[in-house]
Amino acid sequence: MSFIATPQSMHFDEPLPLQGGGSIRDYDLAYETYGQLNADRSNAVLVCHALNASHHVAGVYEGQPKSEGWWDNMIGPGKPVDTNRFFVIGINNLGSCFGSTGPMHLHPDTGRVYGADFPVVTVEDWVDAQARLLDRLGIAQLAAVLGGSLGGMQALSWSLRHPQRMRHAVVVASAPNLNAENIAFNEVARRAIVTDPDFHGGHFYAHGVVPARGLRIARMIGHITYLSDDVMNQKFGRQLREGIDLKYSTQDVEFQIESYLRYQGEKFSSYFDANTYLLITRALDYFDPARAHGGDLTQALSVARARYLLVSFTTDWRFAPARSREIVKSLLENNRDVSYAEIDAPHGHDAFLLDDPRYMSVMRSYFDGIAQETQTAAKEAA
Amino acid sequence: MSFIATPQSMHFDEPLPLQGGGSIRDYDLAYETYGQLNADRSNAVLVCHALNASHHVAGVYEGQPKSEGWWDNMIGPGKPVDTNRFFVIGINNLGSCFGSTGPMHLHPDTGRVYGADFPVVTVEDWVDAQARLLDRLGIAQLAAVLGGSLGGMQALSWSLRHPQRMRHAVVVASAPNLNAENIAFNEVARRAIVTDPDFHGGHFYAHGVVPARGLRIARMIGHITYLSDDVMNQKFGRQLREGIDLKYSTQDVEFQIESYLRYQGEKFSSYFDANTYLLITRALDYFDPARAHGGDLTQALSVARARYLLVSFTTDWRFAPARSREIVKSLLENNRDVSYAEIDAPHGHDAFLLDDPRYMSVMRSYFDGIAQETQTAAKEAA
């Protein structure tokens, strides 16, 4: 049984300038906090989410015992990121569909639902929005920014945009940018959504429909790429759904893996917003801090001041270890303090959300170190 | 400039029993032949096709200089499979959309277009249909059956169903069955087609539409999996389509890889039949000769009498070298004569259609060997 989490929301009147041009104003950010901010406000840890996640990082909601946050195994009292020692903040990003302002909300200029007119937001925009929320919470410097996958990109971006505002960046199962294959998978998912007749150019809300067909396909593709080949073979292999007999049908479910994917697609399409899917996959595509430096990642990371932990997983073919190693190499070339763990885990990209003991142990040790340094600094200041 | 190929067609009245039950009758098979059948009819090579290919294996059609067959680099006068020495036969499979009877043709019982009622055909059914065409051509024994990918599965199946009718099986970039990930990609593609409102349960012909959205998505997924990660990065990387500026758009093309995939999807959807896509991906899913032997591939291959060449490509993640090695291992356990080449090529699954010099050289040597043995046998018989 986990602790009780309480979602909160903060409103921002002032326009936030966006990387793609223009700005967004009158928006809300949903967030949650766990643990206590210490006296010198030095124990705050920001957790950034990936595609299908939110500010609800840990704990459960009152009266909903099965509503564990998406990283509840990692964050909480006595857990690797120990909320008895850290003040942990989860924020839902702009454009998402879990509480912060997104495409399903009203455009303040027109009074109509944003839909496809919601501005394209980037990792950098999210980081800046998060920084404003921290301003309002009175947190000048974070002990750490932590994230996996797209969340890891945010942690990396934080260390470049706000180098003085954080002591540690913990970048899990991430990459300095997406490669062509990753962009390709995102593009197929987007095309499935955009070409669904129920998408209506992104203004499906007004038609009382959702492009569920497209969302299902998008999620099925996603699921394949989150898992490793090995774990899929181990979990499903060529198992048939109904005993030992083949039905010889092109449209019915025949194999267990088909049943699993259809179920995942169906579930996802019932709650995820199609425009959010487009926005978040585009944020993934666009992220590329080296771009402004002619592709030179080492130069891009030269402004970094944080200390880093990078973690990758051997069977993750979406954000392969080689991509994490690129970041490690560029940080070392900048004489940054970097720890790197390459975890031999069978679960593919999904591994970053699972309970691999070596992974958990690496995270626990690293955050123990941060906690000790935070306490020492607090004592010295006292 | 290649030689001139002439498509032919053969009609079959008698019902062909199908693995999934029932039979198909009154069907046509499109085929082409290149080279001359020798006096003792011992130099015939059957070439089996994969998903998006046909009986038009080599040469060009009269007056269409750009209509090269899909394996024109491999097969022809002086090429690795030398049509000056071999009589090569390409057959379009049942259910395909390039000339043989398929879902777009009339069901002889109802006089209506088959559509979704076209029977589910398997690799084994195709092999049996091919064998009947060879009967009619008067070819009792093939020098070799040759195929890549799904075509390789047919070559393997030939050696199990008609072991006395062939001397060599050449199985390129293939596998003893699909793994869960492969089935998963097929299933997503099928769902994209089946859930396209223009699919009409497979009877779209009557509505004068085609499920082009679904076909586009299916093809885009296919293309990603045919290429290697490396070759995609090399060919496209993160190159933008329009110069150096980002447009910050969720629906427009931004990266070259997106443009490439959309183009491939568009092209494919203009000529490929949606029901054929379902049928052929299902034939891939179902192929599993070990299944009838409790998963024991060695036992399944114990009836084999042919000599084998297997070829795989290091970066092929769809039909990985490990899958070819499974076949090699099981053949060796049956004391079969097997050659195996694992080609270090960057192009992923597509490599089997390309001109890698080591690959071409392996194929040439092997077929030279077959040609010599065929000539020797012919002389001894004379």
Side-chain angles (χ1 to χ4, degrees):
Chain A
M1 176 65 191
S2 202
F3 64 95
I4 300 297
T6 308
Q8 303 179 63
S9 187
M10 198 178 277
H11 185 77
F12 296 81
D13 293 320
E14 65 274 39
L16 178 78
L18 300 175
Q19 210 185 13
S23 62
I24 183 166
R25 65 179 173 83
D26 289 317
Y27 60 87
D28 297 293
L29 290 182
Y31 69 103
E32 291 181 11
T33 69
Y34 323 113
Q36 297 296 322
L37 191 60
N38 62 8
D40 63 348
R41 298 170 173 270
S42 64
N43 69 334
V45 173
L46 174 67
V47 181
C48 304
H49 69 76
L51 200 150
N52 181 29
S54 71
H55 52 295
H56 184 41
V57 179
V60 295
Y61 291 142
E62 185 78 56
Q64 301 176 47
K66 288 190 170 174
S67 64
E68 287 95 351
W70 57 272
W71 225 348
D72 191 64
N73 57 340
M74 183 68 76
I75 292 159
K79 294 188 177 168
V81 182
D82 188 349
T83 52
N84 291 327
R85 306 199 278 185
F86 291 109
F87 178 66
V88 174
I89 306 149
I91 306 184
N92 189 217
N93 284 325
L94 276 170
S96 179
C97 52
F98 295 118
S100 292
T101 298
M104 68 299 300
H105 295 121
L106 297 183
H107 192 312
D109 291 347
T110 64
R112 289 201 304 271
V113 171
Y114 275 110
D117 299 328
F118 194 86
V120 170
V121 281
T122 63
V123 166
E124 288 77 8
D125 297 331
W126 287 336
V127 163
D128 292 350
Q130 291 158 5
R132 286 188 174 190
L133 187 134
L134 293 177
D135 292 342
R136 297 266 290 271
L137 293 177
I139 295 164
Q141 191 186 56
L142 291 157
V145 184
L146 161 64
S149 187
L150 175 57
M153 289 175 166
Q154 292 163 64
L156 182 61
S157 182
W158 254 96
S159 72
L160 307 180
R161 289 183 86 75
H162 307 286
Q164 310 297 344
R165 289 194 71 170
M166 61 195 291
R167 299 198 301 280
H168 295 267
V170 180
V171 178
V172 181
S174 197
N177 61 32
L178 292 195
N179 65 15
E181 191 183 75
N182 279 324
I183 296 173
F185 279 122
N186 282 346
E187 171 67 0
V188 182
R190 279 192 297 265
R191 294 312 291 166
I193 290 170
V194 166
T195 63
D196 183 330
D198 286 335
F199 183 65
H200 294 288
H203 296 286
F204 51 87
Y205 314 95
H207 295 79
V209 292
V210 294
R213 301 178 200 87
L215 279 166
R216 281 186 215 116
I217 298 297
R219 186 57 165 177
M220 289 169 89
I221 295 170
H223 257 281
I224 299 175
T225 67
Y226 303 150
L227 298 177
S228 72
D229 199 15
D230 279 355
V231 90
M232 263 195 163
N233 281 330
Q234 199 187 312
K235 213 167 163 181
F236 304 104
R238 294 181 53 83
Q239 271 177 67
L240 299 180
R241 190 185 185 195
E242 295 182 7
I244 55 158
D245 282 342
L246 292 171
K247 288 185 286 186
Y248 293 101
S249 159
T250 56
Q251 296 185 38
D252 293 344
V253 164
E254 193 83 283
F255 297 92
Q256 286 288 7
I257 180 68
E258 298 174 306
S259 175
Y260 170 79
L261 288 175
R262 287 195 195 186
Y263 172 77
Q264 295 294 341
E266 194 60 46
K267 197 171 68 169
F268 186 73
S269 72
S270 71
Y271 70 82
F272 205 86
D273 180 77
N275 284 308
T276 292
Y277 203 95
L278 305 185
L279 287 166
I280 298 192
T281 54
R282 259 311 191 213
L284 273 161
D285 290 355
Y286 285 136
F287 182 68
D288 187 12
R291 187 168 179 273
H293 301 269
D296 185 336
L297 185 62
T298 301
Q299 203 183 310
L301 300 188
S302 66
V303 297
R305 291 296 168 265
R307 277 164 285 165
Y308 290 80
L309 170 64
L310 280 102
V311 181
S312 71
F313 300 92
T314 48
T315 56
D316 183 351
W317 57 283
R318 196 174 164 103
F319 291 88
R323 305 309 317 274
S324 284
R325 277 186 247 122
E326 287 177 42
I327 301 174
V328 170
K329 181 168 171 288
S330 288
L331 288 169
L332 290 174
E333 284 172 357
N334 280 303
N335 296 311
R336 292 296 94 208
D337 186 335
V338 190
S339 301
Y340 175 52
E342 198 165 302
I343 307 287
D344 187 8
H347 305 96
H349 189 56
D350 261 4
F352 91 87
L353 296 168
L354 302 176
D355 283 333
D356 183 275
R358 282 164 295 190
Y359 169 42
M360 287 290 156
S361 160
V362 164
M363 294 293 277
R364 184 179 289 278
S365 302
Y366 196 83
F367 276 90
D368 279 355
I370 302 177
Q372 276 160 26
E373 141 209 317
T374 306
Q375 283 166 349
T376 307
K379 272 181 201 154
E380 279 169 7
Chain B
M1 177 64 192
S2 202
F3 64 95
I4 300 296
T6 308
Q8 303 179 64
S9 187
M10 197 177 279
H11 184 77
F12 295 82
D13 292 319
E14 64 274 37
L16 177 78
L18 300 175
Q19 211 186 12
S23 62
I24 183 166
R25 64 179 174 83
D26 288 317
Y27 60 87
D28 296 295
L29 291 183
Y31 69 104
E32 291 180 9
T33 70
Y34 323 114
Q36 297 297 323
L37 190 60
N38 62 7
D40 63 349
R41 299 171 171 268
S42 64
N43 70 333
V45 172
L46 174 67
V47 180
C48 304
H49 69 77
L51 200 150
N52 181 29
S54 72
H55 51 295
H56 184 40
V57 179
V60 294
Y61 291 143
E62 184 79 55
Q64 301 175 47
K66 289 190 169 176
S67 64
E68 286 96 352
W70 57 272
W71 224 349
D72 191 64
N73 57 341
M74 182 69 75
I75 293 160
K79 294 188 178 169
V81 182
D82 187 349
T83 52
N84 291 328
R85 304 200 279 184
F86 291 109
F87 177 65
V88 174
I89 307 149
I91 306 183
N92 189 217
N93 284 325
L94 276 171
S96 180
C97 52
F98 295 117
S100 293
T101 298
M104 68 297 302
H105 295 120
L106 298 183
H107 192 311
D109 291 347
T110 65
R112 288 201 303 270
V113 171
Y114 275 110
D117 300 328
F118 194 87
V120 169
V121 280
T122 63
V123 166
E124 287 77 8
D125 297 332
W126 288 336
V127 164
D128 292 350
Q130 291 158 6
R132 285 188 175 189
L133 187 134
L134 293 177
D135 293 343
R136 297 266 289 271
L137 292 177
I139 295 165
Q141 190 186 56
L142 291 157
V145 184
L146 160 64
S149 189
L150 175 58
M153 289 175 166
Q154 292 163 63
L156 182 60
S157 181
W158 254 97
S159 72
L160 307 180
R161 288 183 86 75
H162 306 287
Q164 310 297 344
R165 289 194 71 170
M166 61 196 289
R167 298 198 302 279
H168 295 268
V170 180
V171 178
V172 181
S174 196
N177 60 34
L178 292 195
N179 65 15
E181 191 183 76
N182 279 324
I183 296 174
F185 279 122
N186 281 347
E187 171 67 0
V188 182
R190 280 191 297 263
R191 293 314 290 167
I193 290 169
V194 166
T195 64
D196 184 330
D198 287 335
F199 182 66
H200 294 288
H203 296 286
F204 51 88
Y205 314 94
H207 295 78
V209 292
V210 293
R213 302 177 199 89
L215 279 166
R216 281 186 214 115
I217 298 296
R219 186 55 166 180
M220 290 169 89
I221 295 171
H223 257 282
I224 299 175
T225 66
Y226 303 150
L227 298 178
S228 73
D229 200 15
D230 279 355
V231 90
M232 263 195 163
N233 281 330
Q234 197 188 315
K235 211 166 165 181
F236 303 104
R238 295 181 52 83
Q239 268 177 68
L240 299 180
R241 191 187 183 193
E242 293 181 9
I244 56 157
D245 281 341
L246 292 170
K247 288 184 286 186
Y248 293 100
S249 159
T250 56
Q251 295 185 39
D252 292 344
V253 165
E254 193 82 284
F255 298 92
Q256 286 288 8
I257 180 68
E258 297 174 307
S259 176
Y260 170 79
L261 287 176
R262 287 195 195 186
Y263 172 76
Q264 294 294 342
E266 194 60 45
K267 198 172 66 168
F268 187 73
S269 72
S270 72
Y271 70 81
F272 205 87
D273 180 78
N275 284 309
T276 292
Y277 203 94
L278 305 185
L279 287 166
I280 298 194
T281 54
R282 259 313 189 211
L284 273 161
D285 291 355
Y286 285 136
F287 183 68
D288 187 11
R291 187 168 180 272
H293 302 270
D296 185 336
L297 186 62
T298 300
Q299 204 184 311
L301 300 189
S302 66
V303 297
R305 291 294 167 266
R307 276 164 287 165
Y308 290 81
L309 169 65
L310 280 101
V311 180
S312 72
F313 301 92
T314 49
T315 56
D316 182 352
W317 57 282
R318 197 175 163 102
F319 292 88
R323 304 310 316 277
S324 284
R325 278 188 246 121
E326 287 176 43
I327 300 173
V328 170
K329 181 169 172 285
S330 288
L331 288 169
L332 291 175
E333 285 172 356
N334 280 303
N335 297 311
R336 291 296 94 210
D337 186 334
V338 190
S339 300
Y340 174 53
E342 198 166 304
I343 307 286
D344 188 7
H347 305 97
H349 189 56
D350 261 4
F352 91 86
L353 296 168
L354 302 176
D355 282 335
D356 182 276
R358 281 165 295 191
Y359 168 43
M360 287 291 157
S361 160
V362 164
M363 295 292 278
R364 184 179 289 277
S365 301
Y366 196 82
F367 276 90
D368 278 354
I370 302 178
Q372 275 160 26
E373 143 209 315
T374 305
Q375 283 166 348
T376 308
K379 273 180 203 157
E380 281 169 7

